[in-house]
Amino acid sequence: MVWGGAIMGRSEIVIRLPRCILVLKHDEIMAMLKVNPSIWAQALRRGKGYSRTEKAMSRKD
C-alpha cells in the first residue's frame, strides 16, 4: 500500500483520528502493550469476539 509517498508494510497499522492519522509499527505497538498489559488483555478479548462473529457470519453465507 502506498500512503503519502511511503510504502506501508504489513507490520504497520494506520489509525485515522479526527485531526490526524497515526501509523504505528509492530515494535511500537508491542512496546506500548508491554507498558500497559491490561490493554493487551482487553484487545485479546475483543479479537476473540471479532473472530467468533466473522466465523458465524461466514457460516450463514
Side-chain angles (χ1 to χ4, degrees), residues 5-51:
I7 298 174
M8 306 301 290
R10 291 184 185 203
S11 64
E12 297 168 333
I13 184 168
V14 177
I15 302 171
R16 296 179 186 274
L17 297 173
R19 295 183 181 222
C20 62
I21 297 174
L22 303 176
V23 179
L24 297 169
K25 293 186 177 190
H26 179 266
D27 295 339
E28 296 166 338
I29 293 169
M30 295 306 291
M32 286 190 291
L33 291 173
K34 285 180 184 176
V35 171
N36 194 342
S38 65
I39 293 174
W40 180 273
Q42 187 176 16
L44 282 174
R45 284 191 298 273
R46 280 192 208 122
K48 288 179 183 179
Y50 184 82
S51 293

